[in-house]
Structures are given as structure tokens and as C-alpha cells.
């Protein structure tokens, strides 16, 4: 969580940021609120929540965020369907909550995302992401980190950089549609290990390639 907050501040994000920590105090110079419900009225509804908690605590945090409400959430936390059993049940619960409350949910078990036009970096990858016109998405977090490091050394920039994780809700087709419509993105690159919505993806891909490369 500390790394993600540091990356967000270093990216120059201009909006309000509310770190949540039950111990309070301050984090990176910002006052830490003890509870999600302490977010002030002027900060509601939230545009985005980034959840970095043990997997068992994610459903209750999502319920609290929904009460604000929140429009979108990135769940960085691991310990979901990738471990099977109880983890798969937790992920199903998280997906149901997001659908019920109309929350666009990325993850869980993901690196996070970057949008350079919005000065937004909510990943735990080390280093700065340069602005550019490449939209990149990947199901593999390890590949994300490798591309991150290589691109920085080569001085290659991105419009958006998205780690899909387990794709409980937001999947490759959603990201492809966004990047195809994004004026900042000229080239789309994706890495997939599976396709959650194969028919939709195959239908949308020609549309995307007619606009991008």
C-alpha cells in the first residue's frame, strides 16, 4: 500500500487522495483516516478505490466503499481463485458485491493500473512510467513488471498500462474497448493466458484494429 501511494503521488495525480489505515497518523505526508466511513462528504462519491488488504478483509471493505459510493475499485490483494478452495469462494463474493453495487472492479491479484494522461499510477511496480501512445494490458503480473522495467530503460511510454489479474469482473474485452476509444492510445498490445469473454473479444478485435495498430 505504501508503494502504491508513493507511485500515485510521484505521478502527480491532482485529485483528492485518502489513505485509510486503522492506526491513523500520516502516510507520505497525508493524514490517514482510520475507517472508510471517515472519508468526508466532499470526497464522495469516490472515483476509484485501491484495496491492498488480506483477501479475507476485501469483501467487507468493498461493502463499506459501496456505501459511499465508489465507481471503480482495483483489488491488488492475492489469495483468491488462483489458490482455489476458500480463495475461489471469496472471489465469487467480491464479484457479486461489485455487480450488485455497479462497481467496475479490476483484479483481484493484479499489479494495478497506470493512465499517464490522468497522472494516475496505482501499481506497486518500482519506477516511473513515461507518457506515450501505447495501451498495454496483461493477465500476467510478472510480465507487466518485466515490460515496465524494459520500457523504462528504452524510454518507451504508455497511455495506459493495465494488469488484469484474475479478471473477476473487468476483463480483456472491457480494456480493449476502452483503449480502442481512447484518443491518447495509438497502439494496443495485450498478453492473455485465457479469454474470459472469447466471443466478445473476437467481435471487438476487428473494430479495435480498424482504429489502432
Amino acid at each position: 500500500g505504501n508503494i502504491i501511494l508513493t507511485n500515485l503521488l510521484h505521478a502527480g495525480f491532482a485529485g483528492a487522495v485518502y489513505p485509510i489505515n486503522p492506526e491513523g497518523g500520516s502516510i507520505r505526508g497525508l493524514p490517514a483516516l482510520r475507517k472508510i466511513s471517515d472519508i468526508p462528504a466532499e470526497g464522495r462519491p469516490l472515483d476509484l478505490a485501491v484495496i491492498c488488504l488480506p483477501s479475507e478483509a476485501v469483501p467487507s471493505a468493498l461493502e463499506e466503499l459501496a456505501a459511499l459510493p465508489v465507481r471503480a475499485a482495483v483489488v491488488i490483494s492475492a489469495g483468491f481463485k488462483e489458490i482455489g478452495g476458500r480463495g475461489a469462494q471469496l472471489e465469487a463474493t467480491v464479484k457479486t458485491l461489485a455487480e450488485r453495487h455497479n462497481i467496475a472492479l479490476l483484479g483481484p491479484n493484479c499489479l494495478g493500473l497506470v493512465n499517464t494522461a490522468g497522472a494516475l499510477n496505482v501499481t506497486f511496480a518500482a519506477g516511473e512510467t513515461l507518457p506515450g501512445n501505447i495501451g498495454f494490458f496483461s493477465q500476467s503480473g510478472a510480465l507487466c513488471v518485466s515490460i515496465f522495467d524494459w520500457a523504462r530503460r528504452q524510454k518507451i511510454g504508455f497511455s495506459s498500462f493495465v494488469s488484469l489479474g484474475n479478471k473477476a469482473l473487468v476483463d480483456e474485452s472491457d480494456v480493449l474497448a476502452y483503449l480502442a476509444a481512447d484518443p491518447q492510445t495509438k497502439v494496443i498490445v495485450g498478453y492473455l493466458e485465457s479469454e474470459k469473454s472469447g466471443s466478445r473479444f473476437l467481435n471487438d478485435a476487428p473494430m479495435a484494429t480498424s482504429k489502432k495498430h
Side-chain angles (χ1 to χ4, degrees):
N2 190 291
I3 295 171
I4 293 170
L5 180 59
T6 299
N7 284 343
L8 178 61
L9 296 177
H10 282 176
F13 181 70
V17 179
Y18 302 102
I20 310 293
N21 188 290
E23 296 183 3
S26 66
I27 305 173
R28 296 292 176 185
L30 295 174
L33 306 177
R34 295 181 184 273
K35 305 187 299 296
I36 290 170
S37 58
D38 289 340
I39 292 174
E42 61 267 24
R44 308 181 187 190
L46 288 177
D47 291 316
L48 177 67
V50 184
I51 302 176
C52 313
L53 294 170
S55 57
E56 295 281 351
V58 172
S60 60
L62 202 58
E63 285 274 27
E64 292 179 58
L65 287 161
L68 294 182
V70 65
R71 295 187 176 100
V74 178
V75 180
I76 304 293
S77 317
F80 290 91
K81 74 178 180 185
E82 77 279 4
I83 66 169
R86 175 61 177 156
Q89 295 174 2
L90 277 172
E91 184 163 325
T93 299
V94 166
K95 178 182 178 181
T96 298
L97 287 171
E99 289 176 327
R100 180 188 305 156
H101 297 291
N102 197 28
I103 299 170
L105 186 140
L106 180 67
N109 186 33
C110 71
L111 182 76
L113 68 90
V114 175
N115 181 278
T116 53
L120 182 75
N121 180 346
V122 287
T123 71
F124 57 89
E128 179 185 9
T129 303
L130 299 174
N133 59 17
I134 300 173
F136 177 83
F137 61 91
S138 170
Q139 192 171 346
S140 165
L143 183 64
C144 281
V145 172
S146 297
I147 295 293
F148 232 107
D149 293 342
W150 174 83
R152 189 170 59 254
R153 291 195 301 270
Q154 300 297 322
K155 297 185 176 6
I156 293 173
F158 296 90
S159 55
S160 292
F161 196 102
V162 183
S163 170
L164 296 171
N166 290 3
K167 302 188 291 187
L169 201 58
V170 172
D171 64 15
E172 62 278 349
S173 295
D174 298 312
V175 176
L176 179 65
Y178 168 77
L179 293 175
D182 176 29
Q184 304 297 325
T185 300
K186 305 302 180 187
V187 178
I188 300 173
V189 181
Y191 170 79
L192 298 175
E193 296 171 349
S194 65
E195 288 194 18
K196 180 181 172 185
S197 52
S199 297
R200 179 187 168 197
F201 187 83
L202 291 175
N203 287 333
D204 289 353
M207 176 274 295
T209 54
S210 70
K211 300 178 179 179
K212 315 290 179 177
H213 300 289

